[in-house]
Amino acid sequence: MSHPQIDISSVYPVLSPKELISNVVPLYKIPNPISCEILHQGINDSYIVTSERKKHLLRIYRKNWRSLHDIEFEIEALNYLHEKGAHVAYPIEKNQGGYITEINTPEGLRYAIITTFAEGEELKYKNIDDAAQYGKAVAKIHRLSDDFISNHARYKLDLKHLVEEPLKRIKLSLSHRVDDWVFLNNYASVLSKKIDESDLGLLDYGFCHGDFHGWNAHKHREEITFYDFDCCGFGLRAYDLAVFKWSARLRNKENEWWVPFLNAYRKVRPISEYDLSFVDIFISIRHIWLIGLHIETASDQDWLDDSYFDREIQFLKQNAGL
């Protein structure tokens, strides 16, 4: 008995490691690459490239996720930090110069870069030492990047990027939950107003990683190396600190992690009480941004169901004191 064939389209294709090591990896200054294996599929796709001497990380950016200028900014920031002595996974140059490779895929144009691989393992946070070491390392990134400037255009970590654009996506997904949308929209307005009415001249502004949630870093021989600067940009440093506290709050670890993190940060670099007064505001702003990110990037949106919005909106209501 014959069965009819069924055509199923691909939602988010993963590029072939075999073709990447044959056609992309040789373009870079990596002596004798041996293998290429998928490491992680997320917003972007990450591969481990192994050579005779060491490992590297190959990142394939999601289609239409970052512009060429966005990626050039990221590369410039990483090179700057590396030259300043920061422990970061820095870009590997191509044999003919430059860092970015354009790849024509079935879904369209995608960009690729290769960086060094951050040796070690993710922090475990089984004691307060990890939180303190993370805070010290974050402060070092901020201190070493204080004078960083770039000629490449990139979005700012401002209210447009963190609140206004995510709200546009969230509104469509909450069309069947009017009360929740009204709460979220009003709460976002209150948060934005507090930032708008602040004395921006007194707030610490500069280069931010954008995703210092306690990970995106490996610890090796008591040294922390950061990677995944995909969310970096210029913004208020209170936001960078808030991302760590936000992550701790989500895990019910705020009381354990925040104080040692902040104390260690301040031993390396000062941060004013005025800056810190905006951290809790940015915790809610970060969560709004995350909901918008999930809506924008989820390849299979079946998991963005009512239980998802119940959970995420409840977190915001708790932060709002409701």
Side-chain angles (χ1 to χ4, degrees), residues 8 85 90 101 105 131 148 159 171 207 212 256 271 277 296:
I8 300 178
Y90 58 88
T101 297
T105 74
F148 172 67
L159 292 176
K171 182 178 182 180
F207 176 80
F212 278 143
E256 297 176 37
I271 189 77
S277 70
E296 180 182 14

Side-chain angles (χ1 to χ4, degrees), residues 55-232:
K55 294 179 180 178
H56 293 82
L57 188 135
L58 166 63
R59 177 196 290 170
I60 310 294
Y61 289 85
R62 177 183 290 261
K63 178 191 173 185
N64 295 331
W65 173 242
R66 298 291 184 233
S67 71
L68 195 59
H69 287 299
D70 285 334
I71 301 171
E72 288 171 337
F73 176 100
E74 181 185 349
I75 289 170
E76 189 175 21
L78 287 171
N79 281 332
Y80 182 90
L81 285 166
H82 175 59
E83 291 167 4
K84 285 281 190 175
H87 292 271
V88 297
Y90 58 88
I92 300 299
E93 191 175 16
K94 297 171 70 174
N95 294 315
Q96 303 301 320
Y99 296 90
I100 304 170
T101 297
E102 297 182 357
I103 303 176
N104 291 317
T105 74
E107 60 177 344
L109 179 66
R110 296 176 67 179
Y111 297 111
I113 67 170
I114 295 181
T115 69
T116 55
F117 184 79
E119 296 294 336
E121 297 180 349
E122 288 189 339
L123 288 82
K124 305 299 184 184
Y125 293 98
K126 292 182 179 180
N127 55 60
I128 63 173
D129 290 342
D130 279 356
Q133 287 185 306
Y134 198 88
K136 178 181 177 181
V138 167
K140 187 175 181 180
I141 294 292
H142 285 171
R143 176 169 59 81
L144 293 177
S145 64
D146 275 339
D147 296 327
F148 172 67
I149 57 175
S150 177
N151 295 319
H152 299 293
R154 187 176 172 95
Y155 59 84
K156 302 292 191 298
L157 297 175
D158 56 13
L159 292 176
K160 177 183 178 183
H161 177 75
L162 298 173
V163 179
E164 294 174 16
E165 292 174 353
L167 280 178
K168 292 177 183 178
R169 294 186 286 272
I170 294 170
K171 182 178 182 180
L172 297 175
S173 296
L174 291 183
S175 60
H176 64 301
R177 300 175 61 135
V178 178
D179 289 344
D180 285 332
W181 166 247
V182 171
F183 157 73
L184 188 57
N185 191 45
N186 289 342
Y187 186 39
S189 297
V190 170
L191 297 168
S192 297
K193 184 178 180 181
K194 290 181 179 180
I195 301 298
D196 284 334
E197 293 180 347
S198 66
D199 190 337
L200 293 175
L202 296 179
L203 290 171
D204 186 11
Y205 182 90
F207 176 80
C208 296
H209 178 280
D211 214 14
F212 278 143
H213 49 51
W215 287 270
N216 281 334
H218 281 172
K219 183 179 177 181
H220 180 62
R221 296 176 181 174
E222 298 306 309
E223 195 66 61
I224 292 177
T225 299
F226 287 109
Y227 55 85
D228 194 0
F229 282 70
D230 182 46
C231 293
C232 73

